[in-house]
């Protein structure tokens, strides 16, 4: 039985793709271990999967002045020492890293022990952690064709992002029962994102009288962002967030309005859902969502409406255009080389451990 160490943490985006790999890794006969930070959010997520979890010291790698810049390097060194010990103890055949600062000492330790490493970069431009670990990696996977230019040519592989299998196993009938919607009318799902929901929520609610003429609407509006005055509106259902019901709601919806976080849009690609992307403004972020959205637009997967151009009229026009060309977007997604990320990554794992 081959042994694999998964690593990555700090945000859900550095953990959920690893969780998505677990069923196929187990089916392929891998014994799986996880290295994360001692008290990071990844610990609870991974232990819930029944995977042995090992916590190491970690420090953030900042490009700006902070007093912790004087202490965190020592934490990284301690984490590297702990990771070296775990490589000796667990004797993995391969390491798969999803990035985040905790992955740096793990990947470098694996490289020192001559254990093959596969890294995965979610965003269009590589983050600092992956830049530091690339020299130790055998292969570097990515989500976007444009990312290939930033990666070592002999290591770069366009895979897409591992997506949880259960997202594609939803029941349309269960969603109809949950929502009470009519089976013969189309459904638009709005995913504003917990952090960047305000502008999208307002635009959708301002356009609601017109949208409801043609659509039934599921609105995932974010924690604390329900509009009590709209409760009971026929054809409109709002949730702060959903968990176990999400696959069913995906099975029911025909179009999606969404922010453009890398993992979220890769899920929509895997589910073949034509999407209007409204990326988080560069004023409120480092601009990675805009790059992600424009890449999906170029590939024919999505339409893009930037937040600065978001009005009732522009939103209605974009939804109408997206629906008119729905079949073209689905066809482009079906032809995408990023549609079987898990299969490609499993193949790479076999290649580097052969």
């Amino acid at each position: 039985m081959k042994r694999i160490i998964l690593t990555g943490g700090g945000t859900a985006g550095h953990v959920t793709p690893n969780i998505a790999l677990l069923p196929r890794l187990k089916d392929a006969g891998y014994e799986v271990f996880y290295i994360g930070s001692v008290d990071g959010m990844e610990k609870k997520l991974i232990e819930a999967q029944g995977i042995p979890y090992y916590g190491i010291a970690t420090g953030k790698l900042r490009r700006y002045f902070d007093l912790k810049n004087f202490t965190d390097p020592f934490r990284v060194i301690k984490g590297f020492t702990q990771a070296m010990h775990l490589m000796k103890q667990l004797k993995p055949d391969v390491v798969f890293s999803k990035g985040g600062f905790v992955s740096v000492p793990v990947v470098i330790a694996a490289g020192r022990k001559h254990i093959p490493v596969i890294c995965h970069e979610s965003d269009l431009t590589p983050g600092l952690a992956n830049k530091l670990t690339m020299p130790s990696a055998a292969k570097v996977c990515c989500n976007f064709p444009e990312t290939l230019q930033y990666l070592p040519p002999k290591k770069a592989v366009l895979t897409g992002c591992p997506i949880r299998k259960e997202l594609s196993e939803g029941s349309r009938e269960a969603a109809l029962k949950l929502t009470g919607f009519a089976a013969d009318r189309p459904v638009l799902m709005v995913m504003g994102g917990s952090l960047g929901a305000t502008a999208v929520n307002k635009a959708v609610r301002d356009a609601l009288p017109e949208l409801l003429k043609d659509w039934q609407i599921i609105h995932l509006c974010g924690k604390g962002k329900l509009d009590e005055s709209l409760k009971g509106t026929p054809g409109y259902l709002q949730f702060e967030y959903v968990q176990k019901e999400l696959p069913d709601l995906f099975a029911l919806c025909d179009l999606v309005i969404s922010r453009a976080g890398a993992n979220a849009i890769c899920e929509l690609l895997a589910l073949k859902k034509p999407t209007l992307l409204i990326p988080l403004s560069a004023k409120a972020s480092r601009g990675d969502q805009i790059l992600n959205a424009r890449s999906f637009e170029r590939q024919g997967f999505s339409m893009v409406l930037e937040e600065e151009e978001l009005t009732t009229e522009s939103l209605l026009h974009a939804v109408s255009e997206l629906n008119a060309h729905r079949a073209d977007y689905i066809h482009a997604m079906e032809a995408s080389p990023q549609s079987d990320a898990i299969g490609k990554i499993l193949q790479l794992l076999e290649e580097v451990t052969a």
Side-chain angles (χ1 to χ4, degrees):
M1 178 181 281
K2 289 181 179 178
R3 295 179 152 215
I4 183 170
I5 287 175
L6 303 179
T7 187
T11 68
H14 290 129
V15 185
T16 53
N18 280 333
I19 293 174
L21 287 171
L22 292 177
R24 289 282 294 276
L25 287 172
K26 291 175 181 177
D27 289 346
Y30 283 89
E31 187 176 3
V32 183
F33 307 91
Y34 204 102
I35 300 179
S37 56
V38 174
D39 55 358
M41 54 86 67
E42 62 271 17
K43 186 175 191 288
K44 187 176 179 180
L45 291 173
I46 295 302
E47 288 182 340
Q49 303 294 322
I51 300 299
Y53 184 92
Y54 299 86
I56 64 171
T58 183
K60 190 171 183 180
L61 308 167
R62 302 172 186 85
R63 307 186 206 213
Y64 54 87
F65 178 78
D66 189 292
L67 288 175
K68 289 182 180 178
N69 289 347
F70 298 103
T71 57
D72 278 7
F74 296 101
R75 295 177 59 80
V76 173
I77 292 168
K78 181 180 179 182
F80 171 73
T81 303
Q82 293 170 319
M84 288 288 284
H85 175 73
L86 287 169
M87 295 299 152
K88 185 177 180 180
Q89 175 187 336
L90 300 175
K91 297 180 171 58
D93 297 285
V94 64
V95 171
F96 181 82
S97 168
K98 194 58 199 70
F101 299 117
V102 71
S103 70
V104 175
V106 179
V107 172
I108 294 175
R112 289 284 182 90
K113 292 286 188 180
H114 305 290
I115 297 163
V117 177
I118 295 176
C119 294
H120 189 285
E121 173 58 54
S122 287
D123 287 324
L124 194 143
T125 56
L128 181 56
N130 272 336
K131 285 181 178 178
L132 292 171
T133 56
M134 277 181 209
S136 300
K139 296 291 180 183
V140 184
C141 306
C142 62
N143 290 341
F144 302 97
E146 296 89 343
T147 309
L148 295 170
Q149 66 185 303
Y150 303 108
L151 306 178
K154 292 183 179 180
K155 297 183 179 184
V157 186
L158 178 63
T159 60
C161 187
I163 301 303
R164 294 167 289 161
K165 183 184 177 187
E166 60 266 27
L167 284 180
S168 63
E169 297 176 339
S171 164
R172 187 173 187 272
E173 291 70 28
L176 286 170
K177 186 175 180 180
L178 171 68
T179 60
F181 283 177
D184 59 349
R185 293 195 69 214
V187 175
L188 172 67
M189 185 150 79
V190 182
M191 304 172 67
S194 58
L195 296 177
T198 304
V200 176
N201 288 348
K202 183 180 186 306
V204 168
R205 287 165 177 158
D206 287 348
L208 208 53
E210 290 299 316
L211 286 171
L212 286 172
K213 291 178 182 178
D214 300 308
W215 298 93
Q216 300 173 109
I217 298 171
I218 298 165
H219 190 172
L220 310 183
C221 54
K223 189 170 178 61
K225 295 185 172 71
L226 295 174
D227 187 332
E228 297 294 331
S229 70
L230 293 172
K231 282 190 175 180
T233 301
Y236 175 75
L237 194 59
Q238 53 185 338
F239 300 89
E240 285 191 320
Y241 59 90
V242 293
Q243 290 181 314
K244 67 181 190 308
E245 305 91 349
L246 186 59
D248 297 335
L249 296 178
F250 272 136
L252 179 61
C253 74
D254 300 284
L255 298 183
V256 177
I257 296 173
S258 175
R259 286 299 197 184
N263 287 341
I265 64 176
C266 286
E267 289 177 349
L268 294 167
L269 168 60
L271 295 169
K272 315 293 187 292
K273 295 296 178 181
T275 304
L276 173 63
L277 296 176
I278 305 175
L280 195 61
S281 169
K283 296 175 184 175
S285 70
R286 69 184 183 98
D288 53 306
Q289 286 203 12
I290 295 171
L291 296 175
N292 297 346
R294 291 301 179 190
S295 174
F296 265 43
E297 181 182 52
R298 282 190 291 272
Q299 294 175 77
F301 303 155
S302 308
M303 281 184 67
V304 177
L305 178 60
E306 295 206 17
E307 190 171 309
E308 289 78 5
E309 301 166 354
L310 183 57
T311 63
T312 298
E313 292 73 23
S314 66
L315 180 65
L316 292 170
H317 176 73
V319 170
S320 177
E321 284 292 301
L322 182 67
N323 190 46
H325 299 284
R326 181 171 175 270
D328 296 331
Y329 289 104
I330 293 172
H331 178 73
M333 288 186 280
E334 287 174 342
S336 164
Q338 299 105 288
S339 59
D340 182 24
I342 294 177
K344 284 190 174 184
I345 290 168
L346 264 289
Q347 183 181 345
L348 290 172
L349 290 172
E350 290 300 310
E351 289 174 6
V352 301
T353 57

